[in-house]
Amino acid sequence: MQTNAQALLLSSSNCHGFSLLEFAKQEICSFLETRNVSELVFVPYAQKNYDDYTKKIKDAFTPWGFSVIGLHTYSDPAAAINSAKAIFVGGGNTFLLLKTLYDNQLVHLIREKVITGNLLYIGSSAGTNVATKSIHTTNDMPIIYPPSFDAISIVPFNINPHYIDKIETDTHKGETRDQRIEEYMEMPHANPVLGLREGCILHVNGDSLVLKGVAGAVLFEVNVSKKVEYPVGADVSFLLNYAKETC
Amino acid sequence: MQTNAQALLLSSSNCHGFSLLEFAKQEICSFLETRNVSELVFVPYAQKNYDDYTKKIKDAFTPWGFSVIGLHTYSDPAAAINSAKAIFVGGGNTFLLLKTLYDNQLVHLIREKVITGNLLYIGSSAGTNVATKSIHTTNDMPIIYPPSFDAISIVPFNINPHYIDKIETDTHKGETRDQRIEEYMEMPHANPVLGLREGCILHVNGDSLVLKGVAGAVLFEVNVSKKVEYPVGADVSFLLNYAKETC
Ligand SMILES: [Ca+2]
Ligand SMILES: [Ca+2]
């Protein structure tokens, strides 16, 4: 897969022991500063109250020297994306986010701009899910029906954010996270799934993929029975070679 | 809502302290015996290996005096449903189950037969989700894209099976179950959600709805800020009066 994409895909905005987005501060600041970007367009579509959500994100970014404008404040969201240099796509509900991106005809536009190196992408949680091949591996409840589970496809595989291998409680009979991901891996259309532990960041820099942040990731591959652990600093660029026939 | 439906909707097949389906044995036996039914058609579509799954269910039902035949063993599933007196729809993945029901054109057929009192329905977990208005409140991962989230609609509201109000771990930042359900309740198309704790059974007997089993349920209603607990034995027939305009 040929790409000039520049992206930071965060497992979550919150990480135990840190204030909102604080665990990712250094990566976000250097990502934007080395590319001379000081203004972010924030995509609040994963939550219901766009103004409140934008204020929260603005409050986190302002002390770091970046200005934040909510995408919902523009009358023409596509035009706003077209003139933006960087977007931050926040977490919330992945189904609501993807549906709203489709409703505003932004999925293909964002893909084209990011892949050609004309838009920096920062995503967190649901904002990371929609950056991948599909939302088949979100943890969210399907509260609204999107026109497709196919997503922006900045990377040609899937991510499971907030990855955790502990079970909820030892007496509860609901599936564990690993069982849920294994159900997906049995599907004929399954892509590899990178489980980002809370605090992990996938840094996409053209054809280089490196794990950053304060926690690592776990890789599930089709026809590979055991998941593989990757620590912070690991190079996972080989995942870009993955291009499944669409079915 | 006018209905002659006869159904047992189980929160799950497994319940802590019981073998497979054992917590529901008494209810299932009396449900089938009082209606003179000794043969069940089992719908294994929520899992991948239909034969293995059917064998497991058969092993649970045989000692109770019921015979079980997998729906997948019939060349014409619709014809098999048409001649069946009772079906058991097992758990697994709700998206896979609903997609396969649609692929086999069984959603409307099962609805018509159940609502008119011509087919007994037993569902568990995913099999309970698809019996309700929609699968918007499943806990499952969206591993495959169904043509709709609308489901069989034996009851005019939603169920969350395996309901639990504990959080996964106190340091994990993923949403709690209540937060997930509340995200759904904010949607304009939201229906009431009955959270069935593991071990709870909703007994549908025409226009009577009663909680059975060894655990109760929790009700979330639109524009009601606090969830309400209902113990085993509670009559929740009032939920049948709920008929939202489809949007
Ligand atoms: Ca979420
Ligand atoms: Ca399940």
Side-chain angles (χ1 to χ4, degrees), chain A residues 16 48 93 136 139 141-149 162 164 168 171-174 180 183 186 189 198, chain B residues 16 48 93 136 139 141-148 162 164 168 171-174 180 183 186 189 198:
Chain A
H16 184 62
K48 277 287 282 186
N93 185 282
H136 284 297
N139 307 308
M141 201 169 255
I143 63 173
I144 196 164
Y145 186 70
S148 169
F149 286 167
H162 298 272
I164 188 168
E168 293 190 21
T171 57
H172 189 74
K173 303 296 184 180
R180 295 174 194 281
E183 281 179 358
E186 288 179 355
H189 53 270
E198 288 186 350
Chain B
H16 183 62
K48 278 287 282 188
N93 186 283
H136 283 300
N139 307 307
M141 201 168 254
I143 64 173
I144 196 163
Y145 186 70
S148 169
H162 299 271
I164 189 167
E168 293 190 21
T171 57
H172 189 74
K173 303 297 185 180
R180 295 174 193 281
E183 281 180 359
E186 287 180 356
H189 53 271
E198 288 185 350

Side-chain angles (χ1 to χ4, degrees), chain A residues 8-14 21 23 53 88-92 97 121-129 161-162:
Chain A
L8 288 180
L9 303 181
L10 283 58
S11 176
S12 53
S13 294
N14 286 297
L21 290 168
F23 79 94
Y53 193 15
F88 179 78
V89 184
L97 171 57
Y121 187 105
I122 307 176
S124 174
S125 191
T128 287
N129 271 127
H162 298 272

